[in-house]
Amino acid sequence: MTAKIISGKELSQAIKADINKKVNLLAKKFRAPCLAVILVGEDLASQVYVRNKVKACEGCGITSILEKLPEETPEEILLEKIEQFNNDDSIDGILVQLPLPKHISESKVIEQISVKKDVDGFSLENVGALCTGMPGFKACTPYGVMKMLESTAINLTGKHALIIGRSNIVGKPMALMLLEKNATVTIAHSKTVNLAELGRDADILVAAVGKANFVKKDMVKPGAIVIDVGINRGTDGKLCGDVDFEEVKEVAGYITPVPGGVGPMTITMLLQNTLEAAELKSIKEQGN
Ligand code: NDP
């Protein structure tokens, strides 16, 4: 069997076209949505991510503000900058690129962002909303994965989903979103003892480990949907995921590639959240 490819690149283009239409409508009756991005320090990967996010905003007609702060920026200056953006009515979404330099508390920074502008969906309130099935901004990566699963038109009810990884930004919100769709969810982590066995029982396998080619074909149930969140450099220096794509594609029913899989979807869901933030603001201020 050769798995069908779920292309995040193609799906994200379709979703972005829809976002662009909605942005244009909103721009006519209110104004274009605006995302403020804060980058602290010189981390190379973060610079690339931020550049891609700003570019994606432009592509969809979303205005963006990029605030670059030096590595040694004191925590209170960053918190003040966020507060300034919180109080700026022309800004709908605020994103602080992680990771932050060691002397800055990530949790303090996340909590400083107004819940209404937390388009990354990382705040305690938005996580709580996800946990209790209330409306709120959803973390972009698992939100994008849900859209990829939706694109297969496979009903998730009663399916066994295995998530490998329990981070706050991927694994845990992923579990909650799958639970919301009535999947039976298992979360595995570095202390899990029977990972391959769990994998062979999973109809859906989401890998968010951060280890190149970690998921091998003997960990995958024939016909399963395999979603690869990982972004790693392989020994050849090329980008690769957490799933050994070449061997797993022979077993899985569906598989996502790296690059061109979950990555573009993450950025797209950030745009979606920013649009929603602006739409909510428009309703609040104009009643429509
Ligand atoms: P973290 O490092 O925060 O989490 C990794 C998780 O993997 C941890 O829960 C860890 O377990 C678990 N793990 C590590 N080793 C094993 C093992 N041998 N067996 C089972 N579980 C293991 O990473 P993130 O969640 O932030 O990211 C995961 C990957 O996804 C990275 O490659 C990252 O670059 C990528 N990523 C991609 C995004 C995208 O847009 N495509 C967005 C965000 C992340 P434990 O908790 O016990 O330590």
Side-chain angles (χ1 to χ4, degrees):
M1 179 195 292
T2 300
K4 288 186 187 148
I5 308 286
I6 309 174
S7 165
K9 207 171 159 190
E10 281 173 22
L11 184 56
S12 67
Q13 271 159 5
I15 298 174
K16 281 195 282 193
D18 184 53
I19 292 173
N20 184 231
K21 271 189 207 151
K22 290 180 176 151
V23 164
N24 289 341
L25 279 177
L26 193 65
K28 276 191 195 132
K29 64 174 184 178
F30 181 54
R31 57 165 172 73
C34 176
L35 174 70
V37 180
I38 305 177
L39 173 64
V40 186
E42 304 293 326
D43 182 75
L44 281 179
S46 292
Q47 289 183 38
V48 174
Y49 291 141
V50 161
R51 207 181 309 136
N52 288 342
K53 287 169 187 174
V54 168
K55 215 170 122 194
C57 280
E58 278 168 19
C60 278
I62 294 175
T63 311
S64 63
I65 295 168
L66 174 56
E67 183 77 34
K68 285 186 183 175
L69 299 172
E71 178 87 21
E72 61 282 3
T73 302
E75 186 180 88
E76 65 266 28
I77 298 292
L78 175 57
L79 296 177
E80 273 170 28
K81 182 47 76 182
I82 295 170
E83 195 52 24
Q84 186 193 323
F85 286 164
N86 281 341
N87 294 326
D88 185 335
D89 276 343
S90 65
I91 292 173
D92 303 297
I94 303 170
L95 178 150
V96 180
Q97 185 64 43
L98 302 179
L100 288 166
K102 296 258 176 303
H103 65 279
I104 300 178
S105 155
E106 284 189 359
S107 54
K108 253 193 200 174
V109 165
I110 289 167
E111 286 316 304
Q112 181 77 356
I113 299 170
S114 157
V115 176
K116 293 187 178 67
K117 299 190 181 190
D118 170 35
V119 285
D120 252 340
F122 293 163
S123 68
L124 293 178
E125 204 167 321
N126 277 320
V127 174
L130 175 63
C131 203
T132 51
M134 300 297 284
F137 293 117
K138 295 187 178 82
C140 301
T141 300
Y143 191 10
V145 170
M146 291 310 290
K147 292 281 173 196
M148 295 177 106
L149 291 172
E150 207 179 291
S151 77
T152 66
I154 290 172
N155 185 353
L156 304 182
T157 297
K159 296 281 190 301
H160 178 204
L162 171 68
I163 301 155
I164 314 179
R166 56 173 162 181
S167 70
N168 290 339
I169 63 167
V170 187
K172 285 179 195 159
M174 186 77 257
L176 291 167
M177 288 179 209
L178 283 161
L179 203 55
E180 182 77 27
K181 293 288 173 199
N182 298 318
T184 303
V185 180
T186 302
I187 308 176
H189 46 78
S190 66
K191 308 292 184 289
T192 298
V193 287
N194 54 341
L195 190 59
E197 202 181 305
L198 291 170
R200 285 192 296 271
D201 185 55
D203 305 299
I204 299 150
L205 188 156
V206 180
V209 189
K211 291 187 176 165
N213 302 321
F214 178 82
V215 175
K216 301 289 182 189
K217 67 176 178 194
D218 67 344
M219 297 162 76
V220 175
K221 181 177 176 175
I225 306 176
V226 177
I227 307 281
D228 192 350
V229 177
I231 302 176
N232 313 291
R233 289 261 165 221
T235 43
D236 56 3
K238 288 187 184 158
L239 271 192
C240 69
D242 289 343
V243 175
D244 190 328
F245 184 85
E246 286 309 317
E247 63 169 71
V248 171
K249 80 174 192 319
E250 299 306 322
V251 182
Y254 291 84
I255 192 166
T256 66
V258 177
V262 176
M265 291 300 293
T266 297
I267 296 185
T268 301
M269 301 330 286
L270 172 70
L271 305 177
Q272 174 71 33
N273 280 346
T274 305
L275 167 65
E276 283 171 25
E279 284 176 339
L280 286 171
K281 201 141 195 252
S282 156
I283 291 167
K284 196 172 161 226
E285 289 182 17
Q286 304 189 319
N288 66 7

